Amino acid sequence: MDGDVSIAVKTSAPMAGEPMQDYRQVLKHGIMPRTSHDDAERFNFLYHLNRHVRGPVMAACRNAYENRVEPAFEKEKGRKPKNRHEARKAMLTEPMFQFYSSLRRASMEQRQQAGRWVALSQAEELRERAAAYADDDALQLNPALTTPRYVTEVDHHCMPGSYYTEYMEDDVVNGANYDVGFFSSFGGAPTMSGPGEGMVAWLKAYRPDFKPKRILDIGSTVGHNLAPMAMAFPDAEVVAVDVGAPVLRYHLARARSMGINNIRCVQADGADLSMFEDESFDIIQSCLLLHEISYPAMRAIFKETYRLAAPGALVYHADVGGYSDEQSLFEKAMRDWDAFYNNEPFMSTLKDIDVFDFFADAGFKEDEFFHASPLGYGPGKAQMGEGRLPPKLAALPGLNLFGSRK
């Protein structure tokens, strides 16, 4: 593709100023846990709380930083903070930042407990409903798989047991929890597939005649962002990989109940996909994976994607971007919040690297790189083009797409 172009990307997450959403609008499917009136209103409350915290309370934090925190730092040190880390640490004793942080952390913990209440109360029923959709060909689990330490050491998003913990045989509880409360965590998205929808829209514009036969999605969880791709290419074989058996069982049942029958779920570590043949996939993607894995795992995954990509294949990852000089230290420090207080320890370090260096180290060629931003949970149009992602795009709200052809 010559030059940079823009495409309209319809996202499923409401932006500031858009009408408020209601939990009852959330996409229902055959494995979705049942919710009572009180359950729905609990999720609605948390959704509204999150919007309030990230809107007016965030604005109050900015005011406190500019009028109290930074002047106090400059008075003590004789200079302004030199980076986002100093800015964040300077805010730790600021009451408004403490208020913001306590609200955000509490809302996430409450969201997890609200979801777990619903999922655990229906655990046996959900297990039976999921089993009705399962078959040996479409669900390939590996009980002997060693879950990577970067997963076991962290309850991601404050979700007890993260993606992999099982409470009974053939369990789906953590998958159900992830799905049923997603609305509250991510701004009231009815389909909960904003990035996936964005990737499909980008792909249709970037390669309108591309007809992949095999698609691989790494770190697929319950399939929010893979379902749009599977529906866009119904004749393709679509493989979902994740380390968590509960989320994969739920993923397959969710897809089948939505009439999506071309997805196969495989329990595996993305750093070792030796069960798949060399050059056997036309698209390899991940969505919101990179910020949850370690550098060694990222290097291994990129090498595996190079091995698995067929000639001419597209390999891309959608995730958070870095920073630009146009952003204030306050903005940068606040965008680091999840890394320190929401059990996302790799989110900050991901913003310090150029993801395209990992492509290059794995064997991909510089002149085959491409990018797009923002995709899903971002405003306006997605800008896309050849080469590495420019810093000014990487810093936009929403997700960035880092990619390469082979």
Side-chain angles (χ1 to χ4, degrees):
M1 175 170 285
D2 296 327
D4 289 356
V5 300
S6 297
I7 58 170
V9 174
K10 180 182 179 182
T11 65
S12 60
M15 298 296 109
E18 291 189 8
M20 293 293 183
Q21 304 294 313
D22 189 286
Y23 184 78
R24 294 164 187 82
Q25 298 172 325
V26 168
L27 173 70
K28 301 299 190 295
H29 49 77
I31 190 66
M32 189 76 160
R34 291 175 287 99
T35 49
S36 66
H37 169 276
D38 287 359
D39 295 328
E41 290 309 323
R42 191 172 293 113
F43 289 129
N44 274 334
F45 166 76
L46 292 169
Y47 154 64
H48 286 286
L49 177 60
N50 273 321
R51 284 179 64 99
H52 180 71
V53 170
R54 298 180 193 222
V57 179
M58 171 77 87
C61 273
R62 179 188 293 273
N63 182 65
Y65 179 82
E66 293 174 350
N67 291 285
R68 290 197 295 269
V69 176
E70 188 176 77
F73 183 97
E74 190 170 4
K75 182 178 180 180
E76 178 184 353
K77 305 288 187 181
R79 60 174 175 83
K80 295 181 182 293
K82 61 184 178 182
N83 55 43
R84 70 185 194 271
H85 304 296
E86 282 194 349
R88 180 186 63 83
K89 291 177 181 178
M91 284 194 286
L92 293 180
T93 57
E94 165 56 44
M96 184 53 66
F97 179 76
Q98 294 172 347
F99 179 60
Y100 168 89
S101 296
S102 63
L103 282 179
R104 273 201 68 183
R105 176 73 183 204
S107 70
M108 181 57 78
E109 291 182 353
Q110 289 175 36
R111 169 265 173 273
Q112 296 298 348
Q113 294 308 317
R116 281 168 61 80
W117 169 262
V118 172
L120 285 168
S121 67
Q122 303 169 47
E124 291 82 3
E125 176 192 342
L126 290 169
R127 176 178 63 177
E128 293 174 5
R129 286 159 61 187
Y133 291 103
D135 64 61
D136 292 339
D137 292 330
L139 182 62
Q140 299 177 8
L141 302 181
N142 179 11
L145 178 70
T146 300
T147 305
R149 182 171 175 266
Y150 64 80
V151 176
T152 60
E153 289 295 310
V154 178
D155 284 343
H156 293 87
H157 322 118
C158 304
M159 181 169 70
S162 190
Y163 306 109
Y164 66 94
T165 298
E166 300 190 57
Y167 303 104
M168 66 185 79
E169 187 176 358
D170 298 329
D171 186 31
V172 297
V173 163
N174 277 12
N177 173 30
Y178 187 82
D179 191 29
V180 76
F182 197 88
F183 170 92
S184 299
S185 303
F186 288 88
T191 69
M192 300 179 285
S193 300
E197 294 164 4
M199 286 194 291
V200 169
W202 159 80
L203 184 58
K204 293 291 187 179
Y206 184 68
R207 285 287 188 270
D209 299 321
F210 195 61
K211 304 295 183 185
K213 295 180 180 178
R214 293 189 87 205
I215 299 170
L216 175 65
D217 187 66
I218 304 174
S220 207
T221 59
V222 300
H224 288 152
N225 296 304
L226 183 58
M229 185 67 69
M231 290 188 288
F233 300 101
D235 296 327
E237 177 191 358
V238 182
V239 180
V241 166
D242 203 282
V243 298
V247 295
L248 288 175
R249 295 188 189 102
Y250 190 92
H251 183 149
L252 182 63
R254 181 181 186 273
R256 290 284 178 86
S257 73
M258 294 169 61
I260 304 171
N261 297 310
N262 57 334
I263 293 179
R264 178 161 61 100
C265 294
V266 178
Q267 186 181 12
D269 182 349
D272 178 12
L273 298 173
S274 53
M275 71 286 296
F276 301 122
E277 296 180 358
D278 294 358
E279 300 185 342
S280 58
F281 289 95
D282 304 305
I283 289 178
I284 302 176
Q285 66 174 35
S286 77
C287 187
L288 293 166
L289 168 72
L290 301 185
H291 74 272
E292 293 189 348
I293 62 178
S294 65
Y295 282 170
M298 194 183 303
R299 292 190 187 93
I301 288 173
F302 274 64
K303 289 185 180 297
E304 279 289 75
T305 62
Y306 185 81
R307 178 183 69 81
L308 293 172
L314 302 179
V315 179
Y316 52 85
H317 305 273
D319 217 302
V320 296
Y323 301 103
S324 75
D325 293 338
E326 299 172 7
Q327 290 176 295
S328 68
L329 287 183
F330 171 79
E331 291 177 287
K332 295 177 181 180
M334 295 304 281
R335 289 185 69 180
D336 261 5
W337 189 91
D338 289 274
F340 294 94
Y341 312 113
N342 193 35
N343 291 16
E344 301 276 18
F346 303 109
M347 183 173 280
S348 180
T349 54
L350 178 63
K351 298 171 185 176
D352 285 326
I353 65 171
D354 187 336
V355 173
F356 288 96
D357 288 341
F358 285 77
F359 276 108
D361 291 344
F364 294 94
K365 304 301 182 184
E366 183 86 23
D367 59 2
E368 299 291 350
F369 294 169
F370 56 83
H371 65 266
S373 178
L375 292 177
Y377 310 129
K381 294 182 177 181
Q383 302 180 59
M384 61 186 183
E386 299 297 304
R388 297 179 182 234
L389 184 71
K392 66 178 182 179
L393 293 184
L396 290 175
L399 303 184
N400 299 289
L401 187 140
F402 314 86
S404 180
R405 295 175 293 273
K406 181 181 177 185

